[in-house]
Amino acid sequence: MADAHAAEHEHGSGGATYVKIAVVLFVLTALEVLLYEVCYGESMTGLASLGASLEPYFVELLLLLSAFKFWFVAMFYMHLKFDMKLLSWLFTFSLVIASVVILALLALFTYNRGLWWPGGLW
Amino acid sequence: MTSTTATLAGHDGHAAEAHHTSLPIENRKLAIWVFIASECMFFATLISTFLIYRGQSLKGPLPADIFEVPLVTAGTAVLLFSSFFVVMALNGAQEGNRRKLITWLSLTVFCGVFFAGMQVYEFSHFYHEGLGYSTNLFSASFYTLTGFHGAHVTMGTLWLATLLKDAIKGDLPAGKALNLEIAALYWHFVDVVWIIIFPVVYLMSLRS
Amino acid sequence: MATTVLDPAHAGTRSRSVLVEWLTTVDHKKIGIMYGASAFVFFLIGGLEALLIRAQLAGPNKDLISPEFYNQLFTMHGTTMIFLAVMPLSAMFFNFFIPLQIGARDVAFPRLNAMSLWVFLLGGIFLNASFIWGAPNGGWFGYAPLSGRQYSPGVNMDFWVIGLQILGIASLAAGVNFFTTILNMRARGMTLMRMPMFTWSTLVTQVLVLLSFPVITVALIYLMVDRVFGTGFFVPAAGGDPMLWQHLFWVFGHPEVYILILPAFGIISEILPVFSRKPLFGYSAMVFSMAFIAFLGFGVWSHHMFSTGMGPLADSFFSLATMLIAIPTGVKIFNWIGTIWGGSIQLRTPMYFALGFIAMFIMGGLSGVMHSVAPADLQQTDSYFVVAHFHYVLFGGSIFAITAGAYYWWPKMFGRMLDEGIGKAHFWLMLTGFNLTFFPMHFAGLLGMPRRIYTYPGGLGFDTYNLLATVGAFVLAVSILVFMWNVVRTWRRPADAPADPWGGATLEWAIPSPPQEWNFTEEPVVSGKDELWTLKRAAGVRTLPEPARSDGRGIHLPGPSWWPLIVAIGILLFMVGFMLPRPWAFPFGPVGLVGFVITLVGIFKWAYEPPDAHATPH
Ligand SMILES: [Cu+2]
């Protein structure tokens, strides 16, 4: 048992790390919902001024929070941080192609609707 | 102590039957990563379509009329937690700790069932609100995207349930932890796809 | 044949067990042969469709076939040649030669490999069975809304949608399998930069398959649910945008054309060095240019859509990106010529076809660069000029290279040399027939002859070009008959090809022809590029001594399995369930459900089947 634990701690991926990541993920999700409620919800009228100042960056902030969650799951739960680099490259490469295709398609369609950039979509 | 022995025995047994591989990684683990890379394009196409057809529906119901944030938030949290549960289960499997493995894996499977159930409830609720599959572009792209994600969750749940059956039968020793590791990788991937779907499809669509 | 006659009592059981052996095999070589045989049959069917098309177009105002049937013919010709001929013919070489070239005993997942074959074969039979009810008739790229329910109410396009979806499953499974195999099953010492160029081209091709097929999968799902469940993804009346189909199709479609041509590049890069007695010129440049072509291939798709009015910004971007591809492609052509430059050239049949490939591919490549110029493309698009272009790259390119590969690797696959004399006759007939068919199409196109018309009025200036093309098509057909005659003739000879008839550089030539089931009796260890040449140079010989056959004692091979075939049948039924009329259709009907259950049960049984349950007795 002890040996196995020591090995795990070397990797930095023991049970304790997993719990910490879980907490971070939960907090980030709560922040996403909170952000939505502050900007658009009816339950947080007390924070209306904060909502008004955050609202223009709603999408950007939301995507940023999701990117963090994505990163934490991929790096620690999917073990990319500790596995061979090839796997990270594989995943990153496909994510880059996927993102470029998404952005290019959005740009092509919004441009055709008289908008310059997909930002006009949301 | 006994579990250490089991771990070593398992590892030895594994090493003995393992083929020579050119990279320090098992074939099946590399393959699941290749599959995940391919799936990125699958979901990228579905998400692109949903965004391209945002605001293009000719009639309602529209997202703002119909989405319920609390329910989906609950589903999102459950799926996130299941990612945590499955790494704990894998941890147990690798340590040869059968009790830990079975406990956490059962929780994971439960989360999968809960999420799928949440989606079935959500879909039938939407349907009763008048949002059929072919009602408008929003419904078609929404149901296709989240439906295929749900199909992935269902398949993943089935896969993990099979491994749970193995674990209960004592058929998932440390030497076979790879069986769970690849299922867990797939499961995490399904989770990160939802991490994108939740804000992009639900929260962003709710802006008035 | 003789054995069957000699022993009629056992003929029945013997032939049945041979059948079972092939149906349950997981041997990559047998799978490769089955890929090749079925793809060749589909190639003949596609060729027959082309001959009917050419007969109809031989002169103006002909009515040999009806316009409706003509639409089915050109749709099925394109679909068949791309998905059922060129792709699986490449897959034949991947299957047979990748494990041999990297020094492995099989692919990473032998049963998954068998499943790919069966899914492909059943999908191909399914697509061709459509001729009974009405074959697909909306063009090989199935443009919406023409392919939607409103304009294609019959089952024709259902066959196309479901058929391509099935074939996609086979390609994706093979993609995962071969990517893993090449990265992880290489012999000791074979680093990535020591891999044979054909192996490299296969690896890059699988990357393209893995990243482009999911896009067409989703697009086909949309088209299918539009047709079956009445959604409006591509239905303008429902707010849908047919442009989305075009974009998604070509996001897949452009990488797809590289999926068709990169294996050809690989084959040519194997043959030229061997028959020039000189290592490949600029190995690393060849690798990087291929990777660069694949990468750029994801950013040029809209050059198929210049005429849709995307606007000057998008047109310029896709024009420039397309022109950029000419650079790595030029590097490859330069390096091929650099390889034969100053070499001791052996003009054997494979070399004939390889040289023919270079010349024909350059011509197709040049007209391709012309298409990248958006204003010029507006003139050429949808004309016979485009038909000429892609046949120069797909026939003059892919098929010439595949034929070169067939002559080159035939002795290894079947232990028999193909006849050189007949082979050269085949080459000259094919070269003549090919250019006679497709070169005049450039002129007909520039004169304004549109694609996909079933006839044309006389006196527009393209009568002669069409007649020439028709004559050429029949010369091409004769050249294929000559090839078949070559196969039949040499098949009667004893299987006595040496292990290394050409003086090869790669590992497949180090083992007996045909290889034994376990490929390598001892797992090879590699010390550099062109391993066999290094060994020969060290030994001071031209040919290594003939390798001895072994009894394979103690070698562990994966056992045969029924599950790949069963799962493939399940997938077919499940997919067919979507196109059946209501009471039989998937969500409520039995066929799709049965298919689903068979697939699921098959996968479970497969997962729990010990990999060597039926270990062959050695
Ligand atoms: Cu293209």
Side-chain angles (χ1 to χ4, degrees):
Chain A
M1 269 321 269
D3 292 356
H5 261 292
E8 286 302 329
H9 280 295
E10 264 173 25
H11 279 273
S13 59
T17 318
Y18 293 149
V19 175
K20 280 182 211 152
I21 303 293
V23 172
V24 172
L25 290 173
F26 186 74
V27 169
L28 286 172
T29 308
L31 278 178
E32 284 181 353
V33 179
L34 198 67
L35 180 68
Y36 167 73
E37 288 296 332
V38 166
C39 291
Y40 305 102
E42 277 117 47
S43 54
M44 303 245 173
T45 39
L47 296 171
S49 62
L50 179 65
S53 54
L54 286 180
E55 204 269 348
Y57 309 106
F58 175 70
V59 172
E60 289 78 359
L61 286 171
L62 207 54
L63 290 178
L64 196 70
L65 288 170
S66 300
F68 276 123
K69 284 162 74 181
F70 194 109
W71 189 83
F72 275 113
V73 173
M75 280 298 154
F76 293 93
Y77 286 178
M78 296 174 94
H79 230 251
L80 279 180
K81 199 167 156 60
F82 314 104
D83 263 329
M84 46 183 311
K85 283 276 164 293
L86 172 82
L87 299 182
S88 299
W89 280 112
L90 203 65
F91 199 33
T92 311
F93 182 75
S94 60
L95 284 175
V96 166
I97 301 257
S99 317
V100 168
V101 167
I102 291 183
L103 284 176
L105 282 173
L106 289 178
L108 282 160
F109 276 85
T110 47
Y111 182 79
N112 260 18
R113 291 174 196 151
L115 304 163
W116 268 94
W117 185 245
L121 261 187
W122 45 70
Chain B
M1 201 45 225
T2 39
S3 59
T4 316
T5 326
T7 313
L8 288 175
H11 275 304
D12 278 350
H14 188 66
E17 73 187 39
H19 282 270
H20 154 72
T21 55
S22 358
L23 302 174
I25 184 175
E26 297 86 352
N27 278 340
R28 284 189 296 156
K29 189 167 161 188
L30 179 56
I32 198 79
W33 269 110
V34 174
F35 177 70
I36 286 171
S38 180
E39 290 263 278
C40 288
M41 289 302 284
F42 182 81
F43 282 106
T45 314
L46 289 165
I47 291 170
S48 308
T49 308
F50 183 85
L51 288 175
I52 285 167
Y53 280 155
R54 240 178 81 94
Q56 302 293 308
S57 292
L58 298 184
K59 59 178 175 145
L62 294 174
D65 310 325
I66 212 155
F67 278 166
E68 284 183 39
V69 175
L71 178 73
V72 189
T73 308
T76 306
V78 163
L79 205 57
L80 264 182
F81 274 128
S82 77
S83 253
F84 166 62
F85 296 159
V86 83
V87 283
M88 293 306 282
L90 178 61
N91 213 234
Q94 283 164 343
E95 288 169 1
N97 185 341
R98 206 169 126 211
R99 249 190 75 174
K100 186 175 173 187
L101 162 65
I102 292 175
T103 313
W104 291 105
L105 194 53
S106 319
L107 279 169
T108 315
V109 171
F110 176 77
C111 286
V113 173
F114 180 92
F115 185 88
M118 184 278 292
Q119 217 168 21
V120 170
Y121 169 79
E122 186 195 30
F123 280 17
S124 56
H125 172 69
F126 288 176
Y127 185 78
H128 286 298
E129 297 277 309
L131 192 74
Y133 189 24
S134 56
T135 302
N136 54 28
L137 287 174
F138 156 63
S139 72
S141 54
F142 167 79
Y143 282 129
T144 312
L145 167 56
T146 54
F148 269 99
H149 180 268
H152 279 72
V153 170
T154 311
M155 284 300 142
T157 307
L158 261 176
W159 189 357
L160 291 170
T162 316
L163 291 169
L164 180 60
K165 188 204 77 183
D166 285 357
I168 291 169
K169 279 170 58 186
D171 244 1
L172 198 60
K176 284 187 178 176
L178 180 68
N179 286 2
L180 180 57
E181 191 179 350
I182 57 173
L185 281 172
Y186 171 84
W187 190 253
H188 293 309
F189 174 72
V190 173
D191 182 30
V192 294
V193 171
W194 190 258
I195 285 177
I196 297 170
I197 291 179
F198 177 59
V200 169
V201 171
Y202 286 91
L203 297 183
M204 268 161 58
S205 298
L206 280 167
R207 293 174 92 195
S208 27
Chain C
M1 284 311 286
T3 45
T4 328
V5 179
L6 276 176
D7 195 357
H10 290 92
T13 50
R14 180 171 305 149
S15 68
R16 189 178 159 274
S17 64
V18 167
L19 182 71
V20 168
E21 190 189 328
W22 283 82
L23 288 178
T24 60
T25 187
V26 293
D27 177 358
H28 69 99
K29 298 180 290 299
K30 286 203 173 87
I31 291 170
I33 289 170
M34 284 193 275
Y35 257 114
S38 36
F40 187 70
V41 172
F42 290 130
F43 176 74
L44 293 182
I45 295 172
L48 210 61
E49 287 154 7
L51 288 181
L52 285 172
I53 290 172
R54 282 320 316 169
Q56 162 68 15
L57 294 177
N61 300 318
K62 281 196 174 301
D63 55 357
L64 187 71
I65 44 184
S66 68
E68 290 76 24
F69 190 49
Y70 186 87
N71 289 350
Q72 299 181 12
L73 284 176
F74 74 68
T75 303
M76 282 304 284
H77 168 73
T79 307
T80 301
M81 287 309 196
I82 288 165
F83 296 100
L84 302 180
V86 174
M87 279 181 77
L89 283 170
S90 302
M92 158 178 76
F93 292 133
F94 300 161
N95 270 283
F96 206 102
F97 290 103
I98 290 303
L100 299 186
Q101 286 203 327
I102 62 174
R105 293 224 168 101
D106 209 319
V107 294
F109 306 102
R111 287 178 294 175
L112 187 66
N113 202 25
M115 191 203 80
S116 290
L117 165 78
W118 296 120
V119 172
F120 148 72
L121 186 55
L122 292 175
I125 293 171
F126 168 78
L127 253 177
N128 277 282
S130 66
F131 275 109
I132 302 171
W133 293 275
N137 53 3
W140 88 273
F141 31 62
Y143 274 177
L146 180 62
S147 50
R149 187 59 84 194
Q150 189 186 356
Y151 300 105
S152 292
V155 291
N156 311 52
M157 289 313 279
D158 288 327
F159 271 105
W160 185 81
V161 173
I162 307 279
L164 286 205
Q165 198 71 282
I166 294 171
L167 295 173
I169 294 169
S171 298
L172 280 167
V176 172
N177 206 345
F178 279 91
F179 189 92
T180 310
T181 302
I182 294 174
L183 281 188
N184 223 14
M185 304 283 282
R186 282 167 287 143
R188 279 168 225 275
M190 183 174 281
T191 57
L192 286 177
M193 292 309 273
R194 286 175 180 174
M195 294 197 311
M197 198 49 69
F198 179 67
T199 305
W200 258 113
S201 75
T202 307
L203 182 66
V204 177
T205 304
Q206 303 318 322
V207 174
L208 290 170
V209 167
L210 289 164
L211 296 183
S212 71
F213 266 77
V215 181
I216 191 70
T217 302
V218 172
L220 288 168
I221 289 167
Y222 292 157
L223 189 55
M224 187 182 79
V225 295
D226 269 9
R227 294 180 59 83
V228 176
F229 301 119
T231 52
F233 283 106
F234 307 124
V235 182
D241 194 341
M243 283 285 281
L244 181 64
W245 169 266
Q246 290 202 23
H247 277 296
L248 295 184
F249 185 87
W250 290 114
V251 169
F252 150 78
H254 191 83
E256 168 69 15
V257 303
Y258 292 155
I259 292 168
L260 299 171
I261 198 68
L262 288 188
F265 287 1
I267 295 169
I268 297 304
S269 305
E270 293 291 313
I271 292 175
L272 292 177
V274 168
F275 293 90
S276 308
R277 297 278 179 266
K278 227 179 124 227
L280 187 69
F281 181 81
Y283 175 92
S284 0
M286 288 300 245
V287 171
F288 290 120
S289 61
M290 193 148 55
F292 194 47
I293 289 174
F295 181 73
L296 282 179
F298 280 100
V300 299
W301 74 84
S302 291
H303 63 208
H304 296 269
M305 302 166 59
F306 284 142
S307 61
T308 60
M310 294 177 296
L313 187 68
D315 280 6
S316 314
F317 175 84
F318 286 107
S319 269
L320 288 170
T322 306
M323 289 174 194
L324 210 55
I325 290 189
I327 296 171
T329 314
V331 167
K332 295 201 83 75
I333 292 171
F334 180 85
N335 284 7
W336 286 325
I337 295 171
T339 302
I340 54 179
W341 188 273
S344 153
I345 295 174
Q346 324 276 306
L347 279 175
R348 313 292 293 272
T349 311
M351 189 61 167
Y352 271 57
F353 280 97
L355 295 174
F357 162 91
I358 296 181
M360 297 303 105
F361 182 75
I362 288 177
M363 290 169 71
L366 286 178
S367 52
V369 177
M370 293 167 77
H371 292 139
S372 72
V373 184
D377 182 73
L378 291 181
Q379 294 300 311
Q380 296 153 358
T381 194
D382 261 330
S383 79
Y384 260 83
F385 190 84
V386 174
V387 180
H389 156 71
F390 66 68
H391 280 94
Y392 265 85
V393 284
L394 287 185
F395 199 118
S398 301
I399 294 289
F400 267 69
I402 286 167
T403 317
Y407 277 93
Y408 177 60
W409 277 315
W410 196 272
K412 184 54 65 188
M413 292 177 79
F414 301 108
R416 291 168 176 84
M417 305 291 291
L418 286 171
D419 188 277
E420 279 286 305
I422 308 177
K424 283 171 185 166
H426 173 195
F427 171 77
W428 288 114
L429 271 171
M430 195 153 116
L431 189 75
T432 314
F434 168 74
N435 282 290
L436 199 55
T437 311
F438 298 108
F439 201 72
M441 288 184 187
H442 289 109
F443 301 105
L446 289 179
L447 285 170
M449 180 169 170
R451 288 169 79 172
R452 305 188 204 93
I453 45 158
Y454 84 103
T455 190
Y456 51 91
L460 292 175
F462 30 78
D463 304 10
T464 320
Y465 296 130
N466 274 289
L467 183 63
L468 285 175
T470 302
V471 172
F474 283 88
V475 176
L476 262 184
V478 172
S479 79
I480 301 300
L481 289 176
V482 169
F483 172 69
M484 291 163 73
W485 181 45
N486 198 343
V487 169
V488 172
R489 231 183 87 119
T490 51
W491 203 263
R492 297 193 189 134
R493 296 180 189 162
D496 57 357
D500 182 19
W502 314 113
T506 40
L507 288 178
E508 73 265 33
W509 305 109
I511 53 173
S513 304
Q516 292 178 282
E517 204 186 335
W518 45 90
N519 300 348
F520 298 91
T521 306
E522 274 167 55
E523 288 180 22
V525 179
V526 176
S527 62
K529 273 185 298 209
D530 299 329
E531 174 69 11
L532 242 53
W533 282 357
T534 314
L535 290 179
K536 289 173 196 170
R537 209 175 299 123
V541 292
R542 271 188 167 261
T543 330
L544 292 169
E546 194 68 17
R549 290 193 169 258
S550 73
D551 60 2
R553 196 172 296 279
I555 294 175
H556 228 59
L557 286 178
S561 172
W562 281 104
W563 300 113
L565 177 58
I566 291 170
V567 169
I569 292 171
I571 290 174
L572 175 78
L573 290 178
F574 175 67
M575 295 305 300
V576 169
F578 282 100
M579 65 173 282
L580 295 177
R582 250 310 117 165
W584 299 91
F586 166 64
F588 316 103
V591 174
L593 214 58
V594 167
F596 186 73
V597 171
I598 292 179
T599 309
L600 213 58
V601 171
I603 290 173
F604 271 81
K605 292 286 189 184
W606 172 337
Y608 284 102
E609 182 182 51
D612 43 9
H614 320 269
T616 33
H618 296 309

